[in-house]
C-alpha cells in the first residue's frame, strides 16, 4: 500500500482556472431554473399534502371534487338537501312509531277479541300504510340510497387504503 500511495502522490494535480465558475454560469440559463412565488407556494403545499396519510388525501380529494361538482350544479345541491331533510323526517317518524308501537300493539290486541274488530283494525293499518307510502317521493328514497351507497364506498376505500399503507398509488 505504501508504494501505491507514493505513486498517487506523484501524480500532478489539476485545478480549474479562476474564471471556471463564471464561464460555466455564463452559459447556464438561470431564469429557466428560477421558481415563481406561486410555484414555491404550491411546492410547500404539495410537500405537506404528500406527508398526510393516504386515507386523508383520498378523502380530501373526493370531498374537494364533490364540493366543486355541487357548487357547479346548484340544483343537485337543492335536491340533495331536500332528500336529506326528507330522510331526517322519515327517521323521525320511525322513532316516533317505535316509541308508540307498544301502545299500538296493546290496542291491537284489544281489538283482536272479535273477528269484526280484527277486520277493522287490519283495514285501518293497511290504509295508514297506504297513506304513508303514497306520500313518499321516490326521489327522496333514491337520493337517500345513493348517499348511503357513496358513504359505504368511501368507508371501504379508506379501509383498503389504510390496509395497504403508503405503498399503493395515490388518487392524485
Amino acid at each position: 500500500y505504501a508504494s501505491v500511495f507514493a505513486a498517487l502522490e506523484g501524480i500532478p494535480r489539476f485545478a480549474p482556472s479562476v474564471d471556471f465558475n463564471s464561464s460555466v454560469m455564463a452559459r447556464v440559463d438561470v431564469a429557466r431554473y428560477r421558481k415563481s412565488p406561486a410555484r414555491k407556494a404550491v411546492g410547500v403545499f404539495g410537500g405537506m399534502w404528500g406527508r398526510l396519510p393516504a386515507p386523508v388525501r383520498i378523502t380530501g380529494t373526493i370531498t374537494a371534487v364533490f364540493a366543486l361538482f355541487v357548487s357547479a350544479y346548484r340544483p343537485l345541491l337543492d335536491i340533495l338537501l331536500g332528500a336529506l331533510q326528507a330522510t331526517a323526517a322519515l327517521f323521525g317518524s320511525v322513532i316516533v312509531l317505535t316509541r308508540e308501537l307498544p301502545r299500538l300493539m296493546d290496542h291491537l290486541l284489544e281489538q283482536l277479541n272479535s273477528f269484526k274488530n280484527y277486520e277493522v283494525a287490519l283495514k285501518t293499518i293497511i290504509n295508514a300504510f297506504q297513506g304513508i307510502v303514497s306520500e313518499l317521493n321516490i326521489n327522496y328514497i333514491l337520493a337517500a340510497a345513493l348517499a348511503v351507497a357513496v358513504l359505504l364506498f368511501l368507508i371501504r376505500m379508506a379501509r383498503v387504503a389504510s390496509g395497504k399503507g403508503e405503498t399503493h398509488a395515490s388518487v392524485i
Side-chain angles (χ1 to χ4, degrees), residues 72-93:
Y73 295 101
R74 180 73 181 184
L76 177 65
L77 177 63
D78 295 337
I79 290 172
L80 289 175
L81 289 177
L84 197 63
Q85 288 173 346
T87 303
L90 177 66
F91 283 130
S93 298

Side-chain angles (χ1 to χ4, degrees), residues 43-147:
V44 168
F45 176 72
M48 290 187 305
W49 182 256
R51 283 183 242 133
L52 292 174
V56 173
R57 289 193 315 251
I58 292 168
T59 305
T61 302
I62 291 172
T63 303
V65 168
F66 180 74
L68 180 65
F69 181 77
V70 168
S71 67
Y73 295 101
R74 180 73 181 184
L76 177 65
L77 177 63
D78 295 337
I79 290 172
L80 289 175
L81 289 177
L84 197 63
Q85 288 173 346
T87 303
L90 177 66
F91 283 130
S93 298
V94 168
I95 290 171
V96 169
L97 178 64
T98 305
R99 288 181 181 168
E100 294 292 323
L101 196 58
R103 189 181 63 78
L104 291 173
M105 292 303 286
D106 289 339
H107 183 67
L108 182 62
L109 288 175
E110 291 173 6
Q111 296 296 322
L112 289 177
N113 290 331
S114 69
F115 182 73
K116 187 68 176 166
N117 289 339
Y118 172 73
E119 186 178 31
V120 170
L122 184 61
K123 285 182 181 179
T124 304
I125 291 173
I126 289 173
N127 288 338
F129 278 123
Q130 284 177 344
I132 291 171
V133 170
S134 67
E135 290 181 16
L136 287 178
N137 188 347
I138 191 69
N139 290 335
Y140 295 142
I141 296 171
L142 291 176
L146 179 66

